[in-house]
């Protein structure tokens, strides 16, 4: 999840432990796809954007909120529908975190509950 | 700061009635917070602090109320959204009048601003000193909603300043100046 000023607010690795190199690579791919997200944003007004960028067989799908917060998911070709529902549910959770008066919109999300719920959702919806 | 009603739970199928809170609680909270800030700090510092509180609240509320909407493109669309849906959710009515000079200044007029309803109004035609005093008091209560509006606009990408002008209580105009 990337905030308004393009800094990461929350990152999670949903597939299981990987070696360091791949982790850096994935993070890099996600951040470089932000430009592609911006391009798509200019073209359409929908919050759900389809696959925004491709790299080596991995796809990046994005979801953009009205407050310019971007949710990015790096995956290898999951079904669009399940990604949509995953994003909607994560958006709900994100809203709840944001309404916390002790949380500023630009700080990282440190809540363990949020982390746990996101992982649960991923297991349930993305398999 | 509390919101007027909590967001409905997204449980599928089971509909729980949304919890409700008496509106008087919000009004008392606003009044008390103004008094508290003015006691702790004097003059412009209190105003700035109240506006900062409103700013945070505005950001969070903006994110929440744009939940299922498509993204708003233009500055004008953002302002229209604030006038209609945001105002409706916060103050139970829409802005009555919106004027612009197309050069970055928008004037939102609300006849019957909800958060000022409880202020006692000096009878029209009474001496101007009393009216002036009432206006000053109203101004101190307007820092908070100004902050809320500014927070919402900034979160949606329109950086601006908001000033309030209580002309004839309880009607009130908000002037939004877009920062280049």
């Amino acid at each position: 999840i990337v905030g308004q000023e393009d800094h990461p607010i929350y990152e999670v690795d949903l597939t299981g432990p990987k070696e360091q190199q791949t982790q850096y690579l994935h993070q890099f791919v996600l951040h470089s796809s932000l430009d592609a997200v911006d391009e798509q944003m200019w073209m359409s007004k929908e919050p759900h954007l389809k696959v925004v960028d491709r790299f080596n067989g991995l796809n990046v799908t994005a979801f953009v909120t009205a407050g310019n917060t971007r949710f990015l998911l790096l995956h290898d070709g999951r079904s669009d529908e399940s990604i949509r529902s995953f994003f909607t549910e994560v958006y709900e959770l994100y809203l709840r975190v944001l309404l916390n008066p002790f949380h500023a919109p630009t700080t990282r999300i440190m809540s363990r509950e949020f982390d746990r719920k996101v992982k649960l959702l991923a297991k349930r919806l993305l398999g | 700061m509390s919101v007027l009603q909590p967001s409905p739970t997204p449980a599928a199928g089971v509909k729980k009635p949304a919890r409700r809170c008496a509106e008087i609680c919000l009004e008392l909270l606003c009044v008390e917070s103004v008094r508290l800030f003015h006691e702790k700090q004097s003059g412009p510092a209190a105003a700035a602090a109240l506006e900062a509180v409103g700013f945070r609240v505005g950001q969070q509320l903006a994110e929440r109320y744009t939940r299922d909407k498509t993204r708003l493109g233009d500055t004008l669309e953002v302002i229209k959204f604030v006038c209609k849906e945001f105002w409706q959710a916060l103050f139970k009515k829409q802005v009555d009048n919106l004027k612009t000079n197309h050069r970055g200044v928008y004037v939102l007029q609300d006849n019957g601003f909800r958060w000022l309803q409880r202020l006692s109004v000096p009878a029209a035609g009474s001496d101007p000193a009393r009216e002036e005093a009432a206006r000053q008091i109203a101004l101190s209560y307007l820092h908070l909603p100004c902050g809320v509006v500014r927070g919402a606009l900034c979160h949606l990408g329109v950086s601006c300043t908001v000033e309030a002008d209580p002309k004839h209580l309880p009607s009130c105009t908000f002037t939004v100046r877009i920062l280049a």
Side-chain angles (χ1 to χ4, degrees):
Chain A
I1 302 184
V2 179
Q4 280 186 338
E5 269 131 50
D6 288 348
H7 49 250
I9 290 187
Y10 176 73
E11 293 167 332
V12 73
D13 190 358
L14 295 168
T15 58
K18 291 204 281 298
E19 69 243 15
Q20 281 273 346
Q21 232 11 37
T22 346
Q23 276 184 346
Y24 285 142
L25 179 65
H26 288 333
Q27 204 182 26
F28 185 68
V29 169
L30 275 178
H31 282 278
S32 58
S33 67
L34 280 178
D35 282 335
V37 175
D38 279 342
E39 266 178 49
Q40 290 274 1
M41 268 170 64
W42 295 333
M43 290 201 295
S44 102
K45 291 233 173 133
E46 273 287 312
H48 282 280
L49 303 168
K50 297 221 179 54
V51 176
V52 159
D53 196 20
R54 284 192 178 79
F55 178 81
N56 267 5
L58 299 168
N59 306 336
V60 178
T61 314
F63 172 83
V64 190
T65 70
N68 214 25
T69 313
R70 281 145 291 186
F71 294 61
L72 301 165
L73 182 70
L74 183 67
H75 61 97
D76 51 358
R78 296 295 164 134
S79 86
D80 209 28
E81 273 310 306
S82 58
I83 296 190
R84 265 176 194 252
S85 35
F86 176 69
F87 273 146
T88 322
E89 298 283 328
V90 176
Y91 187 37
E92 278 298 307
L93 289 176
Y94 171 71
L95 274 182
R96 303 257 169 105
V97 170
L98 205 64
L99 286 176
N100 179 2
F102 296 113
H103 176 267
T106 47
T107 51
R108 293 190 74 107
I109 299 182
M110 300 299 232
S111 152
R112 271 198 301 247
E113 269 300 304
F114 183 74
D115 196 37
R116 194 177 64 87
K117 286 196 178 142
V118 168
K119 291 197 171 133
L120 261 175
L121 275 175
K123 235 190 302 186
R124 193 163 59 100
L125 290 169
L126 295 175
Chain B
M1 293 289 286
S2 61
V3 293
L4 285 176
Q5 64 237 23
S7 54
T9 48
V14 178
K15 271 236 162 202
K16 269 199 296 196
R19 298 194 307 273
R20 295 184 165 267
C21 184
E23 193 177 334
I24 188 73
C25 295
L26 180 64
E27 292 182 10
L28 288 174
L29 181 62
C30 291
V31 169
E32 185 59 27
S33 53
V34 172
R35 194 185 68 83
L36 187 70
F37 274 84
H38 276 276
E39 245 174 61
K40 284 212 167 144
Q41 301 149 319
S42 61
L50 278 174
E51 229 217 312
V53 169
F55 187 75
R56 279 285 304 279
V57 174
Q59 281 183 321
Q60 293 166 326
L61 289 179
E63 185 73 43
R64 186 177 144 195
Y65 289 134
T66 54
R67 235 179 87 179
D68 296 313
K69 304 201 185 325
T70 53
R71 269 173 298 114
L72 309 152
D74 217 13
T75 305
L76 185 59
E77 280 185 31
V78 172
I79 300 242
K80 282 203 292 207
F81 161 76
V82 164
C83 290
K84 293 198 184 118
E85 282 120 355
F86 197 68
W87 223 264
Q88 180 82 31
L90 273 186
F91 308 121
K92 302 275 180 54
K93 60 192 283 290
Q94 295 185 359
V95 166
D96 292 308
N97 205 343
L98 170 63
K99 290 189 277 245
T100 172
N101 73 352
H102 291 293
R103 274 198 217 104
V105 179
Y106 299 85
V107 179
L108 286 68
Q109 182 170 350
D110 189 349
N111 306 327
F113 191 58
R114 209 168 177 84
W115 288 1
L116 288 181
Q117 296 276 14
R118 309 281 173 204
L119 279 181
S120 58
V121 181
S126 65
D127 62 331
R130 279 187 59 194
E131 284 192 8
E132 188 54 38
R135 279 196 63 217
Q136 287 298 330
I137 296 184
L139 263 180
S140 65
Y141 286 100
L142 283 171
H143 294 298
L144 198 49
C146 275
V148 173
V149 173
R150 192 167 74 90
L153 288 171
C154 289
H155 191 72
L156 294 168
V158 176
S159 87
C160 57
T161 58
V162 179
E163 288 154 9
D165 188 21
K167 278 214 231 358
H168 307 283
L169 298 167
S171 110
C172 180
T173 42
F174 292 86
T175 311
V176 178
R177 281 200 178 81
I178 311 288
L179 297 171

